Amino acid sequence: MSIHNGEAFVQSIARRIIARLHPARYVRDGDYRDSISALVARGIGGFCIFDGTLDDVSETIGQLQSLAQHRLLFAIDAETGLRMRIEDAVEFPHAFALGLQDPRVTEGVASAIAASLRSLGIGWNFAPCADIASNPNNPIIGIRAFGTEAPRVVEHVCAWIRGHQREGVAACAKHFPGHGDASTDSHIELPLITASADELVARELVPFYAAIKEGVRSVMVGHLAVPALDEGGQIASLSEAIVRRLLRERLGYEGIVVTDALDMRPITQRYASGQAATAAFAAGCDVALVPADAHEAIEFAERALRSGMLSLEEHRDALARLDQLAEDVASFPPTSISQSEHAQRALEAAVGALRLAGDRSVLPLTQYAHIAAFALVEHDAPLDAPTEFFRYLAQLYDGNMDVAFISREIEQSDVAAHAEAIAQAECIIVAVFERPRAGRPLSRWDDPNLAEALERFAEGKRRVLLLAGAPAVKLGWRADVVLWTFSDSSPSCAAAALLLSGRIGGDEQ
């Protein structure tokens, strides 16, 4: 597309907006399909994919690209692989599990994930997290980060970028200028980062600077309040001080700058969609990601460009960056992948992250004729991970196994019933599945009533604790041996079952 002044040039600002896309609806709902087609007709830049099957996604991308007058950019947030969004795809362990291993493991996983994206025509992944998990009470970063210290995070962020981008898929370092030290979830409320400018430069910004030097194609700016960097208190994703003056000018970044999702509450509670997108562009961002109302965002941004509120020169530069990305993505044709080979790589990465501490003679579980396994879950929490773990363990253990889900609010009558049911069990496994989830606070498991119930269950039995996800869960219950997976992904659940059943060994914590 030629870039020139005039109305067509003004309308091209739609190409700087990436809209939300649900392929599961697109292939089944005619009204929704028409609404997405209308965005394509308006010149939308591309779409961020949120759900569906592999077939849904492939069909949707093919249809939408055929409707567009320019190359659409299809993106996804797939930190742990396509399974994070697409139901029949392969899942990989979380970044924290990879960060415990040689960076070559991370590079290989990133390469495999990128190949799976490219097989569908997806050319942009909003990963990796370049945040440092420095705050254990952070409800949204945690095991999504590669570690708690800058040097480890730097090594693995750079490895991820190398592995991803050599497969022709753009990586994205997020959430600039660093979300790891927050104590609130930016999906729900605006986190306040209280670190000084010197602290931010010495810690939070280090992985981002390394990512820039590694040639990362894009950087995502988070919805964060960082007074040390913007005294006016503007949200980082909409802050000229943080985007233009810090990221562009001081750090010298020349790639694509994208906002975090503009349909998150810190934005929608303060701005209409058009205001948010235009503020992001005015701050120096190239791309406004999933505004709540994409049509409104386009209309408002067109008016702002037409009136001179937005820079024509910056708009040209942004389009040039996006054109180059689309061209580079297209130069890597879709490829076929082996789901089974990717699943094997995921399992190997999960096994490599396992850490074990305590009395190893308690394992393997196959030495016992009868065991009992309890998964600690909140009332409304997803049950996919603990269910998978139970399924894997049942496949590997031939004895009598009782399983149950319990919560902090367990009734005394249920405690008595469980205790009676597992009276003959020789070993008890307590599994905690805890990780950051958008819109959900971290669970608190150090409840005295829960600890008392677990003590009653474990009386006279060997005790195993599985921490499948966050490594620093406080439980208030003593175990003989503890196993950490640093991820609740499907391969991590399988790896835990393999170790507990004696099929593989594990490293000391």
Side-chain angles (χ1 to χ4, degrees):
M1 172 182 175
S2 63
I3 297 176
H4 57 275
N5 292 322
E7 190 59 22
F9 181 58
V10 169
Q11 292 174 353
S12 69
I13 201 164
R15 291 180 51 207
R16 296 172 61 185
I17 295 172
I18 300 293
R20 175 181 285 268
L21 177 63
H22 294 273
R25 287 185 62 191
Y26 182 88
V27 299
R28 297 169 179 85
D29 183 335
D31 290 339
Y32 181 75
R33 187 160 52 248
D34 289 344
S35 71
I36 296 299
S37 299
L39 287 173
V40 174
R42 293 205 65 169
I44 198 80
F47 295 93
C48 184
I49 293 165
F50 280 86
D51 62 17
T53 65
L54 293 169
D55 286 343
D56 291 342
V57 173
S58 181
E59 178 182 344
T60 300
I61 287 177
Q63 288 187 13
L64 291 177
Q65 191 62 74
S66 70
L67 295 175
Q69 299 301 307
H70 60 271
R71 289 195 187 104
L72 294 172
L73 282 169
F74 290 95
I76 195 169
D77 180 355
E79 297 168 21
T80 57
L82 285 174
R83 174 77 175 274
M84 189 167 164
R85 303 294 178 189
I86 300 173
E87 59 192 61
D88 54 345
V90 173
E91 184 177 26
F92 289 82
H94 287 81
F96 205 99
L98 301 178
L100 296 169
Q101 304 175 67
D102 189 296
R104 288 174 294 184
V105 174
T106 297
E107 188 170 341
V109 166
S111 178
I113 291 174
S116 67
L117 268 62
R118 188 156 59 90
S119 73
L120 295 176
I122 301 171
W124 193 0
N125 190 2
F126 297 128
C129 277
D131 305 306
I132 301 169
S134 53
N135 183 352
N137 297 316
N138 189 316
I140 194 58
I141 299 301
I143 60 172
R144 297 170 63 197
F146 287 107
T148 60
E149 301 292 337
R152 176 176 290 180
V153 173
V154 164
E155 276 193 318
H156 289 271
V157 163
C158 290
W160 177 282
I161 293 167
R162 287 193 300 273
H164 223 59
Q165 295 189 167
R166 73 165 177 248
E167 291 292 334
V169 176
C172 182
K174 63 183 183 184
H175 308 79
F176 188 84
H179 202 324
D181 197 28
S183 57
T184 53
D185 177 3
S186 59
H187 293 85
I188 303 300
E189 55 185 303
L190 182 65
L192 174 65
I193 307 297
T194 59
S196 68
D198 288 343
E199 289 171 329
L200 291 167
V201 169
R203 184 180 64 190
E204 310 298 336
L205 294 181
V206 173
F208 291 98
Y209 188 64
I212 291 170
K213 291 298 184 184
E214 191 63 46
V216 70
R217 295 299 301 267
S218 62
V219 171
M220 178 182 287
V221 187
H223 302 322
L224 310 162
V226 193
L229 301 179
D230 186 325
E231 295 179 355
Q234 178 60 286
I235 299 172
S237 53
L238 311 182
S239 166
E240 182 178 3
I242 291 173
V243 177
R244 181 173 291 111
R245 294 202 290 272
L246 176 59
L247 180 55
R248 286 286 193 214
E249 296 174 5
R250 288 185 59 191
L251 298 187
Y253 185 58
E254 298 179 350
I256 295 171
V257 179
V258 57
T259 69
D260 205 344
L262 293 178
D263 59 357
M264 292 161 64
R265 285 189 201 170
I267 298 298
T268 59
Q269 289 176 342
R270 293 168 172 82
Y271 301 94
S273 294
Q275 293 173 317
T278 301
F281 294 151
C285 293
D286 296 304
V287 174
L289 180 62
V290 292
D293 186 331
H295 285 285
E296 179 190 311
I298 293 170
E299 291 168 4
F300 205 106
E302 284 179 357
R303 290 199 299 269
L305 188 61
R306 194 179 292 115
S307 69
M309 185 186 303
L310 295 177
S311 162
L312 294 176
E313 182 179 357
E314 286 193 358
H315 180 48
R316 285 193 189 90
D317 291 343
L319 289 182
R321 293 186 187 101
L322 292 170
D323 278 341
Q324 187 63 58
L325 177 58
E327 182 179 329
D328 291 346
V329 167
S331 70
F332 283 79
T335 183
S336 60
I337 63 166
S338 167
Q339 291 277 79
S340 61
E341 288 180 7
H342 281 200
Q344 181 61 34
R345 181 186 287 272
L347 180 60
E348 290 170 358
V351 168
L354 297 178
R355 298 295 185 270
L356 193 64
D359 183 358
R360 285 181 172 241
S361 70
V362 174
L363 301 176
L365 298 177
T366 50
Q367 66 186 289
Y368 310 111
H370 187 175
I371 64 173
F374 292 93
L376 304 190
V377 294
E378 297 283 9
H379 280 307
D380 56 349
L383 300 179
D384 49 341
T387 299
E388 278 202 285
F389 169 68
F390 286 155
R391 179 170 59 84
Y392 287 133
L393 191 58
Q395 291 171 353
L396 296 167
Y397 175 76
D398 293 330
N400 185 7
M401 183 173 76
D402 296 308
V403 300
F405 300 99
I406 60 174
S407 71
R408 288 174 299 171
E409 294 79 19
I410 186 170
E411 300 287 345
Q412 285 302 312
S413 58
D414 292 328
V415 172
H418 284 310
E420 181 178 356
I422 67 168
Q424 301 304 312
E426 302 162 78
C427 182
I428 178 175
I429 303 98
V430 173
V432 184
F433 295 84
E434 180 67 63
R435 69 167 170 87
R437 294 181 185 273
R440 293 182 61 89
L442 292 176
S443 301
R444 293 292 303 271
W445 297 109
D446 54 344
D447 182 270
N449 293 327
L450 177 61
E452 183 179 333
L454 294 177
E455 283 295 332
R456 184 170 177 184
F457 298 157
E459 186 175 354
K461 301 171 175 55
R462 308 304 296 272
R463 304 161 174 233
V464 177
L465 175 61
L466 169 62
L467 296 179
V473 171
K474 296 178 181 178
L475 185 58
W477 180 73
R478 179 189 58 80
D480 297 317
V481 65
V482 182
L483 173 60
W484 290 267
T485 64
F486 306 96
S487 175
D488 69 345
S489 63
S490 178
S492 298
C493 291
L498 287 167
L499 188 146
L500 293 174
S501 62
R503 300 304 198 275
I504 58 173
D507 293 336
E508 289 287 346
Q509 171 72 350

